[in-house]
Amino acid sequence: MTTQTQHGASARQAAVHSIDHYALMVPDLPLARHFHEAFGLTVEDEGHGLALRARDGHVSARLHAGPRKALAYLSFNCYAGDLAAIRAQLEQAGVATAAGVPHATAEGIWFHDADGNLIQVKAGPKITPDAKSPLDDIHVQADARGARFRSQVAQVRPRRLSHVLLFTPDVSRALAFYEKTLGLRLSDRSGDGIAFTHAPHGCDHHLVAFARSSARGWHHSAWDVASIDQVGQGAAQMAAAGYTRGWGTGRHVLGSNFFHYVRDPWGSYCEYSADIDYISAEHGWPSGDFPPEDSLYQWGPDVPPDFIHNTEA
């Protein structure tokens, strides 16, 4: 399908460019506020729920009260000129619009993906960066002190939402669905165990990732910070707040980012992420299929046994 966007006219599939926000159901909103404020996000009351902002000021997540933790919906933005084309792609794939479902509004297109997750696509601003996010220079020359004293370390506050990871019973089916309907492209994968996708308008190595499980579910959201120092400092501030369970600090292979995952009270995770690979607009990224030992992390502690446990299964 041919469409005109801010990146010029090109014969290509229409595609989303950003995650506008995700929305989760959680059983304890005051506890959710405590966790996310400790993580470094701004938490605001919004109706009967909460809105989460990183330093970019955008509402990147919403939390609603529910009997258990689960994804309420995932909202994507596209260019206004692509919305009709994406609607046509959904129709061609036989995807019906969702009507009369909780959380759905009149804005954009609402539908369920191949796993039954509620999805919104709407025309909206590009939240994903247009170039690789810069890093703070934490190195010093000889004869200078390189590290701040612990008492001088400020609270880590993530710059922006980077990506999300969903559990799915069928990684290949999820990949095919999001490629055909929303134009996301495969970045890399490890067989049918895990796969990473990016948007073609300039995007981090992954915008949405999929990991195999017996059921759909929410695994984590990842938030960009400015250095590996901030990854470690974030881990320390969460431990001081009582959130000691998680995985890290380490470095991923696919995506290359430094990471530390902090387990939330419901068995999913928020990730501090720094220096993730970036795929420029319309760049032909050489996606690969890698064995498990080359797909998860280059260095770091052993993976905890419950890290890939889907509490929603």
Side-chain angles (χ1 to χ4, degrees), residues 105-131:
T105 65
E107 185 178 19
I109 311 165
W110 293 82
F111 59 94
H112 291 95
D113 70 8
D115 292 326
N117 297 306
L118 182 62
I119 306 296
Q120 179 191 31
V121 177
K122 61 185 180 66
K126 188 174 186 290
I127 311 302
T128 52
D130 290 321

Side-chain angles (χ1 to χ4, degrees), residues 185-307:
R185 298 179 181 177
L186 176 67
S187 304
D188 290 300
R189 69 187 299 172
S190 179
D192 290 324
I194 193 166
F196 305 92
T197 68
H198 65 276
H201 302 293
C203 186
D204 289 340
H205 176 272
H206 37 288
L207 184 68
V208 183
F210 304 98
R212 184 176 58 197
S213 176
S214 60
R216 73 184 185 192
W218 177 261
H219 185 266
H220 78 266
S221 58
W223 300 82
D224 176 77
V225 295
S227 68
I228 186 174
D229 254 4
Q230 289 195 359
V231 172
Q233 291 162 358
Q237 80 185 28
M238 290 302 281
Y243 301 103
T244 57
R245 297 181 65 181
W247 180 42
T249 298
R251 189 174 192 184
H252 282 305
V253 176
L254 303 182
S256 306
N257 48 314
F258 300 100
F259 67 83
H260 191 99
Y261 295 84
V262 185
R263 193 177 191 268
D264 70 19
W266 305 285
S268 48
Y269 297 85
C270 280
E271 176 191 6
Y272 294 108
S273 171
D275 201 25
I276 193 168
D277 291 335
Y278 185 83
I279 302 174
S280 300
E282 299 298 342
H283 175 74
W285 179 265
S287 61
D289 189 344
F290 301 91
E293 63 269 20
D294 281 338
S295 65
L296 189 52
Y297 67 118
Q298 184 195 78
W299 57 264
D302 292 339
V303 182
D306 61 354
F307 181 70

Side-chain angles (χ1 to χ4, degrees), residues 20-23 46 50-53 58-63 223:
D20 185 79
H21 67 282
Y22 64 86
E46 185 181 68
L50 302 173
L52 309 183
R53 301 179 191 266
H58 182 76
V59 174
S60 294
R62 291 186 161 93
L63 305 178
W223 300 82

